[in-house]
Every structure is written in C-alpha cells, then in structure tokens.
C-alpha cells in the first residue's frame, strides 16, 4: 500500500520535474502540429490500425513489437507521445514505463490494455503512465487522447490566459470574456470550457471530459455530458454570430475558432 | 423461547405427552375402578362372614353368647374396621362399638350406608361405613358392618399416584421436548442460516455437514450438492455472456472504426452520413452494454479490490448529484440532496461513483417527481438512498430487476442497457454492502448500506484513483 502511495505521489509531481530535462523536448515537431509517435504493440492488427489512424491524421508513427525494442527506441528520445501495450513480449508495458521514468524520460505515455479492470487502470497510472486506454478503442478516442497528451506536454506551465478566436479566459481572475462581453460561468462550466480551450482545435471525447472536468472515470448510461455542453453553448455561443463549440458526431466536442 | 415452542418437534412431543397422559389416566381410572370393585366385594364377604359367625354364636349360645362374641370382637386390643352393634327391642345398645343405632343415608338391598364418627385422642373423624341390619327374634337387632376408611385411603393413594405421575410426566415431556427441539432447531437453524447466507450473495458458502451421517448431515450434503450445481450453471451462463461480450468487442470496435472512416470520407452525401452516424451510435450502445456486462463480471468475480482507498462518499454523492443536476433540470425534475458531510467508506471511488450515477440515471429515467438523494450514517454503517416518484417496481419483481438485462415491460421503450441496476448492485456487493429496493410510496427507493470506513487508513488512497 505504502509503495503505491509513493508511486502516486511521484506520478503527480513528475510533469514539473521532468519538463526541463527532457532530451526530446527540442526535437519534436510540435510547431507544425505533426507528432512523432512510438507504438509499442505486439499485435500486428492493432498496430496496423493505430498506425493507419495516426498517419491519416498527419502524424508519424514508428513501431516496435516487443518491450525491449520499445524501451530502446523510447530511450533514444525524439518522440512526442509513446503508446505502449501492457502485455508485451520481452518486457511488459508497466516495467517499460517504470524504466523510462526511472531514466527521467518524461515523454507522455499512453498505456493500452485489454484489461479494463479499475485496479489495472490505477496500476498503469501509478507506474508513471499519463493515460490509460482500454482495448478495444475507437480510433477517434485514441487520436483525441494522444493529441491531448501532446498538448499537455507542451503547454506553458505559467499560462494565465487562454484565447480561442474572440473568446478569452483569464485563469487567475477566473473570468471569461467573448468579444469584449463578459460571460458568467458556474465553476464547473468554467472548468469545462477551460478543458475545451486547452485542447482547442482538437476533439475532446466525453470520457476525457468526465475524467478531466469531473475527475471520474466511468461509463454514463445516458449522455449527461451533452446537457452540460448545451448549457455551456447557450452561454458561449448563443448571442454571437459564429459558433465556437462544435459537436463532432460519434467522437466528442471541439472548440474551434475558424469559420 | 417462542421459537422453541413453535417447532414441530416441540409440538409433536407435546401431542405425544398428551396422548400418553390420556392413556395413563385411562389406566389409572381402570385400576381405580377395579380396586374399588374388589375392595367392595371383599368387604361384603367379610361382613357376611362376620354376620354368619355371630349368627352361629347366637344360635349356639343365645343372646348372651352373641353379646360375648361381639364384646370379644370390639375389645380395645383388636384393631380392624369391623363395626358391631346389638340393640334391644327399644333400640338401646347392648353390645358393640357404636353408641347408638345409626341413621342410614342410603339403603342398597340389605346394605345400609351410614356415617360413623371415630373418636381419636384429640379429634374425631367422620367415616362412611357399610353394614347389614339383621333382625333377631324378640325385637333385637344386630348391625354388622365395616368402616371404609382404610380402603378409601388405598383408593385415594392410587388416584394420587396416577395424577402425580401424569403431572411429572407432562413436566418431563415439556422439558424433554424443549431440549429435543432446541437441539433439532439448532441444526435446522444452521441450515436455514446457511441458505440465507447463500441467498444474500455469499454463493461460496456451504452447509455444515457432520460426520454422524444422520438425516441432517444428508440434508446438508444434498443442499451443498445442489448449490454446487447451481453455482456451476450460473458460472457457465455468466462465462458464456462474458465471453460473448469480450470476444465481440474487438470486431465491433473495428466495425465502428470502419464506419467512422466512412463518415469522415468526403465522398459521402448528407443522407448516408446521417445513416453512418446512426450506425456508429448503435455500435456505441452495444459496446456500452458489453462494457457494463464485463464490469459486472469484474465486480462479481469476488476478487477483493486491490486498491481499497478511503473514499469521501459525501463528496462522491454530491459530485454525482451535480453531474446529473443539469440533466434533471432539463427534464423539469429537481434533485433534492440531503447529504451528511464527511462520511467515508473503504473502496474504489470510481466504482462508487458509477453506482450512484447509475441509480440517479435510473431515477431520472423512470421518475417524474423530485429525486431525493440522501446520505447518512447509522452506527458503523453509511446509508445512501435514492428515491424517485415514478411508477416504482412491484414487490414481486424487485429481486428480478437486479439480474442482468432485466427490464420491466413498462420500461422496454426507454433507452439503456438494462444493466445499470445490476452493475450498481454488483459494485455495492463488492464493497461489502447491500442494495435493497423498496417502495417510496409512490416510486422506487433504492437503499445502499455500506460499512463505514473506520479510523484513518492512512494515505491508502492512491491519488489518481
């Protein structure tokens, strides 16, 4: 129990600690929005599917089919996000993550697993992974999560203001202004909008919103998120000519400034 | 005590004791009657013989001889029940142990029944005596009889013996019956308790089976065999559904991804795009069902939670209420909260949230009045209840709705996997609690009882659970 607590504490403080010494930091292609992603997956079909989906979204995917090769490539750096299966030949996913974190490599890691049990998820996150996705998963969910991880990695830690089009959010004063008009938001609505603004231009899935805004990982029976989004939409979009908050059918939501 | 009295063993032993008492009483009555008859006859014979003797004396020696004979029979050193009296023509006693001619209370043939008073040292007793009135020539009359006192005493003793015997037997029967029924009850109770335990979810429990091999041991062994069989069948069914859910997830996800690719393609027209989106929605629904099914299987697998943290249930309940409040408002339903702060339970925060969310979801789906979410503590248990004002669930259907895929006919048309309640129940069981469905008059009241977290399970909650 105690060991896990320590691990959890480490995972929590890691982002800040490793940021500055990440060898991959300067070499990634974040400016163009193209990511280099390392896929460590022994199942060929899954690896093919992920590579195809990522390539279609304009990213570059490298592949390793066992844990040892994966660790070797990952240690070399240069990746924006690492996606690793949990059960791998030669070296399992959890050990791989722990080895990378021990070597102070802070590249965001998404663990994939067929094991969907709650405890497994906790173990994966405690080992030092940043996100956990249960197989099988939708391509849109994978892309959304990878993009979110990349964004989280590169966001300015001292960010105090988020801007999307004419929408501005002051994180210190906790105010939201659109086109010079102040928008009053409930605390939860503020967090919801903040999450969408931090991932502006990206699809944010419903599960991601539940995890990030409500801090719960669970399967709602009905689309409770939809109601919260439509309320937010009322406040953010109703009185303005161009909508910012879009629903991406079958995937999630996106805050986007372009017309 | 009442439980013992209500057992069939006790009733049986009481019935047996009653029958036995009746037969003993009948026997006693018969003995009494027979002895009475015998004593009567003997008395008659004795009196007749005495009379013959005295008459013989009279015939041989005349009146003086009779008087002598009587006097020798009533001499103080002679003990016995004999009564003698000879009176002259005017009724004056001439010899005997009576002071005067008695007044008969009853006359049976030659027999007179009359009271006699026997004077003891300090008291006098009135006894009943039988005698024969025998007239002698010259107006003299001879009375020969017997005091029935000593035979009456014998009969009294007989009836006392039987009555006390029956009383003692009844007491013994009650005591023995209690003892037997307690012993029997204990063994039956063990089986009853076992059955209750199994019914309340401890499916691995088995009846205690002793080595005596008596009917209880055989009953226990048979029940255990039955439980094993039920368990095997249940596991088989569960395994089938779980395997189907598990094995179909991958192809379904692939199908969904293909649909998504199709929908994203620029070639598709508006109409086909809508069709594709609808198909994606259907696939998502099936996948959600499979996920719920596997979550239930996971929660029911019996494996205790590896990560058992201290969960602020007050906070989780408030969060769930907050999440669903928007949905409720849209339906014009209020969620009334009565949440006591700082109530902690041990377990998994995500799963508990899932359980509460499912119940709220259900309440909003089926209820049409305010939904009440309350959380309180009683003793060392935390009680969470969610009550709606909908149609409720008829009592006989309540156990059934906790089973997988059970949806009442009235709710067939509404969306949902039909697994929400089952999953909530499985999660509560996993946390060592109980989920009970009740009548909210009107509506459904779901009550969850969870053991309260005791003391500070210091820092055992992983930060990100």
């Amino acid at each position: 129990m105690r060991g896990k607590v320590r691990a959890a504490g480490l995972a929590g403080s890691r982002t800040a600690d490793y940021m500055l010494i990440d060898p991959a930091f300067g070499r990634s292609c974040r400016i163009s929005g193209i990511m280099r992603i390392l896929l460590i997956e022994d199942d060929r079909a899954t690896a093919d599917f992920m590579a195809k989906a990522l390539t279609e979204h304009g990213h570059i995917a490298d592949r390793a089919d066992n844990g040892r090769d994966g660790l070797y490539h990952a240690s070399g750096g240069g990746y924006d996000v690492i996606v690793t299966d949990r059960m791998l030949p030669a070296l399992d996913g959890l050990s791989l993550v722990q080895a990378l974190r021990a070597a102070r490599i802070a590249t965001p890691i998404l663990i994939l697993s067929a094991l969907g049990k709650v405890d497994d998820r906790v173990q994966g996150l405690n080992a030092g992974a940043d996100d956990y996705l249960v197989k099988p998963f939708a391509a849109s969910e994978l892309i959304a999560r990878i993009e979110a991880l990349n964004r989280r990695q590169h966001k300015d830690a001292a960010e105090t203001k988020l801007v999307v089009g004419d929408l501005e959010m002051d994180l210190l004063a906790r105010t939201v202004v659109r086109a010079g008009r102040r928008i009053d938001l409930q605390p939860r609505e503020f967090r919801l909008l903040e999450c969408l603004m931090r991932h502006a231009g990206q699809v944010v899935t419903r599960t991601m919103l539940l995890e990030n805004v409500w801090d719960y990982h669970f399967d709602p029976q009905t689309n409770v998120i939809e109601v919260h989004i439509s309320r937010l939409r009322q406040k953010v979009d109703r009185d303005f000519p161009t909508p910012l908050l879009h629903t991406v059918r079958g995937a999630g939501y996106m805050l986007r400034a372009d017309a | 005590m009442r439980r013992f009295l209500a057992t069939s063993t006790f009733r049986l032993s009481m019935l047996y004791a009653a029958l036995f008492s009746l037969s003993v009483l009948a026997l006693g009555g018969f003995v009494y009657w027979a002895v009475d008859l015998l004593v009567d006859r003997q008395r008659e014979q004795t009196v007749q013989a005495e009379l013959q003797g005295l008459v013989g004396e009279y015939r041989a020696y005349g009146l003086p001889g009779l008087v002598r004979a009587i006097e020798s029979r009533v001499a103080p050193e002679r003990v016995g029940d004999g009564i003698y009296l000879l009176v002259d023509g005017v009724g004056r006693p001439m010899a005997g142990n009576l002071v005067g001619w008695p007044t008969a209370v009853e006359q049976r043939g030659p027999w007179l029944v009359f009271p006699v008073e026997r004077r003891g040292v300090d008291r006098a007793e009135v006894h009943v005596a039988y005698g024969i009135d025998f007239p002698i020539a010259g107006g003299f009359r001879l009375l020969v009889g017997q005091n029935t006192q000593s035979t009456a005493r014998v009969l009294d003793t007989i009836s006392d013996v039987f009555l006390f015997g029956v009383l003692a037997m009844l007491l013994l029967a009650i005591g023995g019956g209690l003892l037997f029924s307690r012993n029997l009850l204990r063994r039956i109770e063990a089986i009853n308790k076992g059955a209750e335990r199994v019914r309340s979810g401890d499916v691995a429990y088995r009846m205690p089976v002793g080595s005596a091999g008596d009917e209880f041991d055989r009953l226990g062994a048979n029940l255990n065999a039955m439980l094993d069989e039920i368990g095997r069948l249940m596991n088989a069914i569960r395994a089938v559904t779980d395997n189907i859910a598990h094995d179909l997830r991958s192809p379904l996800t692939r199908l969904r991804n293909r649909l998504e690719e199709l929908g994203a393609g620029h070639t598709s027209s508006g109409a086909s795009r809508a069709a594709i989106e609808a198909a994606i929605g259907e696939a998502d629904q099936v996948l959600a069902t499979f996920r719920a099914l596997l979550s239930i299987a996971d929660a029911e697998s019996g494996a205790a939670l590896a990560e058992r943290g201290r969960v602020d249930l007050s906070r989780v309940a408030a969060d769930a209420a907050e999440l669903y409040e928007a949905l409720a408002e849209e339906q014009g339903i209020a969620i009334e909260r009565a949440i006591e702060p700082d109530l902690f339970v041990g377990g998994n925060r995500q799963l508990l949230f899932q359980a509460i969310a499912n119940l709220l979801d259900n309440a909003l789906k089926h209820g049409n009045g305010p939904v009440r979410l309350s959380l309180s503590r009683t003793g060392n248990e935390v009680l969470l209840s969610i009550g709606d004002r909908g149609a409720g669930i008829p009592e006989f259907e309540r156990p059934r709705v906790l089973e997988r895929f059970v949806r009442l006919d009235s709710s067939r048309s509404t969306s949902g996997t039909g697994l929400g309640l089952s999953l909530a129940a499985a999660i509560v069981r996993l946390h060592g609690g109980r989920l009970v469905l009740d009548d909210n008059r009107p509506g459904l009241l779901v009550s969850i009882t969870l053991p309260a977290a005791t003391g500070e399970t210091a820092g055992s909650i992983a930060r990100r659970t």
Side-chain angles (χ1 to χ4, degrees):
Chain A
M1 242 4 183
R2 227 161 257 282
K4 271 169 191 149
V5 180
R6 259 202 312 280
L10 249 180
S13 59
R14 176 177 28 76
T15 322
D17 288 350
Y18 294 107
M19 257 322 234
L20 303 171
I21 49 162
D22 179 8
F25 191 70
R27 284 183 277 155
S28 58
C29 314
R30 67 195 156 96
I31 294 150
S32 57
I34 296 170
M35 286 186 277
R36 270 192 79 189
I37 293 144
L38 176 62
L39 302 175
I40 313 172
E41 165 66 82
D42 59 325
D43 177 49
R44 228 189 135 75
T46 313
D48 282 346
F49 153 67
M50 289 195 292
K52 186 168 167 245
L54 287 168
T55 317
E56 273 169 7
H57 280 77
H59 304 303
I60 300 158
D62 289 350
R63 290 161 63 162
D65 62 2
N66 68 70
R68 215 177 19 237
D69 289 356
L71 181 62
Y72 174 75
H73 289 300
S75 310
Y79 291 105
D80 295 292
V81 174
I82 298 168
V83 178
T84 176
D85 190 24
R86 187 159 162 179
M87 284 191 280
L88 287 168
L91 181 70
D92 75 274
L94 283 189
S95 309
L96 184 141
V97 173
Q98 278 159 352
L100 284 176
R101 295 312 185 213
R104 311 218 116 203
I105 291 169
T107 317
I109 301 175
L110 173 70
I111 291 198
L112 295 176
S113 173
L115 307 165
K117 304 183 192 225
V118 191
D119 283 348
D120 295 329
R121 183 183 155 79
V122 175
Q123 281 166 15
L125 296 179
N126 283 351
D130 298 85
D131 205 351
Y132 192 98
L133 191 55
V134 176
K135 282 186 191 173
F137 46 83
S140 50
E141 188 78 33
L142 176 74
I143 302 291
R145 281 177 186 267
I146 287 178
E147 287 181 345
L149 281 180
N150 186 44
R151 175 67 63 96
R152 207 192 293 172
Q153 173 78 348
H154 296 302
K155 77 160 188 240
D156 187 351
E159 225 166 10
T160 58
K161 201 169 195 182
L162 300 172
V163 180
V164 177
D166 56 356
L167 184 67
E168 287 178 26
M169 175 178 271
D170 187 332
L171 292 170
L172 293 180
R174 310 213 49 94
T175 52
V176 177
V177 173
R178 184 169 181 189
R181 268 159 69 184
R182 191 178 157 138
I183 298 172
D184 283 323
L185 294 178
Q186 302 287 319
R188 190 70 70 179
E189 291 167 340
F190 188 90
R191 281 184 68 183
L192 185 57
L193 185 60
E194 180 189 339
C195 182
L196 289 163
M197 286 180 84
R198 283 193 190 277
H199 300 105
Q202 298 172 1
V203 174
V204 184
T205 66
R206 292 183 189 101
T207 25
M208 286 166 73
L209 285 175
L210 273 172
E211 282 168 28
N212 292 314
V213 179
W214 278 270
D215 200 20
Y216 286 100
H217 178 83
F218 89 112
D219 243 333
Q221 298 262 301
T222 40
N223 194 0
V224 273
I225 298 298
E226 182 66 41
V227 188
H228 287 271
I229 289 286
S230 63
R231 287 183 154 202
L232 185 63
R233 196 175 266 139
Q234 289 270 313
K235 294 190 173 175
V236 174
D237 278 345
R238 196 183 52 188
D239 302 330
F240 302 92
T242 47
L244 291 175
L245 186 46
H246 305 274
T247 299
V248 184
R249 292 247 169 213
Y253 306 97
M254 190 195 281
L255 199 68
R256 189 160 30 95
D258 55 41
Chain B
M1 190 64 180
R2 178 164 294 173
R3 292 216 335 260
F4 294 138
L5 298 184
T7 55
S8 53
T9 325
F10 186 74
R11 284 194 209 143
L12 209 65
S13 58
M14 282 304 97
L15 183 69
Y16 195 71
L19 281 174
F20 200 71
S21 305
L22 271 178
S23 58
V24 167
L25 282 175
L27 182 70
F30 178 72
V31 168
Y32 188 94
W33 174 76
V35 169
D36 193 32
L37 204 71
L38 195 73
V39 164
D40 268 4
R41 199 163 297 157
Q42 221 160 30
R43 188 193 302 125
E44 279 169 28
Q45 279 168 6
T46 311
V47 171
Q48 297 274 14
E50 282 289 292
L51 188 62
Q52 297 291 322
L54 289 175
V55 170
E57 289 287 318
Y58 173 67
R59 298 240 166 93
Y61 308 105
L63 213 53
L66 181 56
V67 171
R68 212 170 33 246
I70 289 175
E71 260 156 17
S72 79
R73 282 185 166 94
V74 299
E77 70 273 9
R78 293 278 295 264
V79 286
D81 293 328
I83 287 169
Y84 310 91
L85 183 66
L86 180 66
V87 292
D88 60 14
V90 292
R92 253 192 326 228
M94 292 179 67
N97 49 9
L98 288 184
V99 291
W101 195 262
T103 17
V105 290
E106 202 186 335
Q107 178 137 25
R108 292 182 205 152
W111 291 92
L112 296 177
V113 182
F114 53 88
V116 289
E117 199 178 286
R118 169 170 280 182
R119 298 221 169 87
V121 188
D122 48 355
R123 62 203 172 122
E125 287 173 50
V126 176
H127 298 153
V128 178
Y130 285 76
I132 293 180
D133 177 12
F134 191 80
I136 304 173
F140 290 94
R141 287 167 82 190
L142 177 61
L143 179 70
V144 177
Q146 274 220 311
N147 188 342
T148 61
Q149 175 57 21
S150 54
T151 56
R153 207 172 287 150
V154 168
L155 288 173
D156 278 355
T157 312
I158 288 174
S159 67
D160 282 357
V161 161
F162 274 99
L163 285 176
F164 276 114
V166 164
L167 203 69
M169 204 191 59
L170 274 176
L171 282 176
L172 271 175
I174 291 173
L178 279 178
L179 215 67
F180 277 136
S181 57
R182 205 184 63 178
N183 185 32
L184 211 65
L185 197 67
R186 217 184 43 231
R187 303 194 58 182
I188 290 278
E189 242 349 64
I191 291 174
N192 268 335
K193 285 250 169 63
E196 271 164 30
R197 257 180 87 168
V198 173
R199 270 188 19 171
S200 66
D202 184 3
V203 288
Y205 183 81
R206 290 297 177 264
M207 308 299 160
V209 177
S211 53
D214 59 11
E215 63 272 32
F216 287 106
D217 288 341
R218 274 186 315 172
L219 176 64
N222 272 331
L223 283 174
N224 285 349
M226 236 166 72
L227 286 172
D228 288 344
E229 186 64 11
I230 291 171
R232 201 184 58 72
L233 290 172
M234 269 170 63
N235 280 338
I237 291 172
R238 206 172 287 167
V240 167
T241 50
D242 293 351
N243 286 342
I244 289 174
H246 192 268
D247 295 349
L248 287 185
R249 268 192 321 164
S250 296
L252 246 165
T253 311
R254 279 202 297 278
L255 175 74
R256 191 200 180 281
N257 286 331
R258 292 259 160 80
L259 286 170
E260 215 174 295
E261 274 173 41
L262 263 179
H266 296 288
T267 49
S268 47
S269 69
S272 65
R273 186 178 294 241
I276 288 167
E277 275 164 8
I280 290 176
E282 300 279 348
D284 279 344
Q285 186 65 39
V286 178
L287 281 167
T289 303
F290 285 175
R291 269 200 306 277
L293 207 54
L294 292 169
S295 298
I296 294 174
D298 191 18
E300 277 182 350
S301 68
L305 289 165
E307 305 278 338
R308 187 174 271 275
R310 220 170 115 82
V311 181
D312 184 347
L313 198 63
S314 307
R315 168 89 198 282
V316 172
D319 283 349
E322 195 247 30
L323 178 61
Y324 277 91
E325 222 144 51
L327 189 67
E329 240 169 75
E330 199 173 67
Q331 298 179 14
I333 295 175
I335 297 183
E336 294 168 358
R337 299 190 213 177
I339 301 174
E340 262 179 46
D342 300 324
L343 294 182
F344 289 85
V345 296
N348 182 291
R349 180 172 165 269
Q350 309 292 0
L351 287 180
L352 289 168
F353 187 88
Q354 174 89 61
I356 300 173
N358 283 3
L359 296 179
L360 279 175
D361 201 283
N362 246 23
L364 291 177
K365 211 176 281 168
H366 302 299
N368 54 4
V371 171
R372 186 178 166 84
L373 169 65
S374 70
L375 182 69
S376 60
R377 183 175 173 147
T378 47
N380 41 16
E381 284 187 327
V382 172
L383 177 77
L384 182 137
S385 66
I386 292 173
D388 65 46
R389 291 285 172 206
I393 296 176
E395 191 163 358
F396 66 96
E397 292 199 284
R398 279 177 209 152
R400 215 163 59 84
V401 294
L402 293 179
E403 290 164 21
R404 281 165 232 208
F405 290 122
V406 170
R407 295 164 75 186
L408 301 179
D409 290 338
S410 52
S411 66
R412 282 252 170 239
S413 51
T414 55
S415 66
T417 57
L419 292 169
L421 262 179
S422 329
L423 180 54
I427 289 171
V428 170
R429 270 202 300 277
L430 180 68
H431 285 79
R434 305 182 298 278
L435 185 147
V436 179
L437 302 178
D438 232 322
D439 196 346
N440 200 27
R441 287 170 238 275
L444 178 68
L445 180 70
V446 187
S447 302
I448 294 175
T449 320
L450 288 165
T454 47
E456 196 67 30
T457 47
S460 60
I461 187 161
R463 204 186 64 84
R464 300 177 79 154
T465 54

